[in-house]
Amino acid sequence: MKYMLLIGGAEDPAGRTAAEICASPEVRAWDEGLRERGIWRGGNLLRPPEEARTVRVRDGAVVLSDGPFAETKDQVGGYTLIECADREEALAAAADHPCARFGMVEVRELWSP
């Protein structure tokens, strides 16, 4: 089963943002561990939330908003796609991510029709 890990948060106790953590040696080591286990399928950092645009269509009109969809300080800073035997393995991989210690890692199974 494939899972999308949405990785984010505000900033860690040292003042680093989620994007800075995602680019850190700790996260590179985590990524390498997933590769060694054969479950890493892809991932990347996202540009800062300030650069996001949200698109909605209401009554046939396109409505654009600056910034991310969520109105919160916690923002998604990156994502990782993994393929695991089951949800428990995916949750264990998410719990090992350095951002899980101060932010969050949302685990979502990809839709399989």
Side-chain angles (χ1 to χ4, degrees):
M1 294 179 252
K2 290 185 181 174
Y3 294 87
M4 177 70 68
L5 307 182
L6 301 170
I7 303 157
E11 58 183 39
D12 74 356
R16 298 182 298 177
T17 65
E20 289 170 329
I21 289 288
C22 287
S24 71
E26 302 103 311
V27 173
R28 284 195 294 273
W30 178 81
D31 281 345
E32 186 57 36
L34 297 179
R35 285 183 176 95
E36 289 171 2
R37 291 170 49 198
I39 64 173
W40 191 87
R41 297 293 178 265
N44 212 331
L45 295 174
L46 300 174
R47 298 286 304 168
E50 307 80 56
E51 296 180 23
R53 300 278 291 182
T54 299
V55 178
R56 295 177 179 88
V57 178
R58 300 294 184 265
D59 298 321
V62 175
V63 179
L64 297 176
S65 302
D66 288 336
F69 172 75
E71 303 251 349
T72 176
K73 291 170 70 176
D74 291 341
Q75 299 297 333
V76 175
Y79 69 94
T80 300
L81 181 64
I82 59 177
E83 188 166 359
C84 299
D86 54 34
R87 174 178 242 170
E88 288 72 29
E89 184 180 11
L91 293 171
D96 286 339
H97 194 285
C99 281
R101 293 183 208 120
F102 72 91
M104 62 89 187
V105 179
E106 182 177 336
V107 179
R108 303 273 302 267
E109 185 176 348
L110 271 60
W111 186 264
S112 296

